[in-house]
Amino acid sequence: MANQLFVRQQGNLVSEMDGDIVMMNIQQGKYYNLGQVGGVIWDLLQNPSTVEELTDALLNEFEITPEECESQVIAFLEQLMKEQLIQSA
């Protein structure tokens, strides 16, 4: 997963609400609250990105250890893949 590129799936409506990113998957009719950090990841996934690229970007914005950040990024990406919100590029 470390060298794999990920990018957003098409067909999602995204909006900001009180600093969090919320999204509706049109095909599934599901709503998601990505939160602040998830919103940053979602923005970065506009272009194909690796776990390392996402982790590096988050480490520049948030105070977190590199290990914890990478672990959280991987877990978030796995959830997005499960919900078919992102795909391998």
Side-chain angles (χ1 to χ4, degrees), residues 9 37 44 46 48 72 83-84:
Q9 287 274 32
V37 177
L44 293 169
Q46 181 174 349
Q72 293 296 320
E83 295 292 331
Q84 300 175 349

Side-chain angles (χ1 to χ4, degrees), residues 28-78:
Q28 298 177 17
K30 289 184 176 180
Y31 287 93
Y32 303 90
N33 182 340
L34 301 180
Q36 181 184 10
V37 177
V40 172
I41 294 172
W42 185 255
D43 286 343
L44 293 169
L45 289 173
Q46 181 174 349
N47 298 307
S49 301
T50 64
V51 169
E52 182 178 354
E53 291 168 335
L54 297 171
T55 300
D56 288 346
L58 292 174
L59 288 171
N60 288 328
E61 283 198 47
F62 302 98
E63 289 188 33
I64 186 171
T65 66
E67 296 80 16
E68 181 66 21
C69 186
E70 182 177 336
S71 172
Q72 293 296 320
V73 166
I74 290 170
F76 186 70
L77 291 176
E78 287 173 345

Side-chain angles (χ1 to χ4, degrees), residues 5-19:
L5 288 170
F6 298 94
V7 69
R8 298 180 198 174
Q9 287 274 32
Q10 299 297 316
N12 299 298
L13 298 175
V14 181
S15 182
E16 183 179 337
M17 185 180 299
D18 296 327

